[in-house]
Amino acid sequence: MASPSVINHPQQTAYIRDVAIQGFGSEQVVPEFAPRTASEDFAFLLQARPGSFVFVGNGDSAPLHSPRYVFNDAAIAPAASLWARLAEDYLVKDAT
């Protein structure tokens, strides 16, 4: 079975963009990310629930599935921080 297209929901995409800008500054967030033509099973989740498939920067490297791809370990802490900020912001807003 082929995966459907990944189609982000606008409200959730704007939400994570705002949280990322608050945490890292607008210069660290790509304002308009060009659509990609890739298959991703996350698309099934987006059909069931609103959400947003986002990319966390890894610096200059070969594409993700290339044998020349080099993971940047320095990206782990900022990426984890983004998810923690997102969860905290969501939980605080939900509690008020």
Side-chain angles (χ1 to χ4, degrees), residues 15-95:
Y15 181 65
I16 193 167
R17 180 185 310 266
D18 290 344
V19 170
I21 289 171
Q22 290 171 18
F24 303 106
S26 60
E27 67 281 353
Q28 297 296 318
V29 178
V30 176
E32 294 298 325
F33 194 74
R36 301 288 190 264
T37 55
S39 177
E40 174 57 53
D41 59 2
F42 189 76
F44 291 110
L45 296 173
L46 292 175
Q47 288 182 333
R49 298 282 187 267
S52 185
F53 186 89
V54 300
F55 288 87
V56 176
N58 185 50
D60 292 328
S61 181
L64 181 59
H65 297 289
S66 165
R68 295 184 306 278
Y69 176 77
V70 177
F71 183 78
N72 179 358
D73 290 346
I76 295 172
S81 174
L82 173 61
W83 299 120
R85 288 172 185 274
L86 187 65
E88 181 180 34
D89 188 82
Y90 181 83
L91 292 171
V92 167
K93 287 182 178 171
D94 188 51

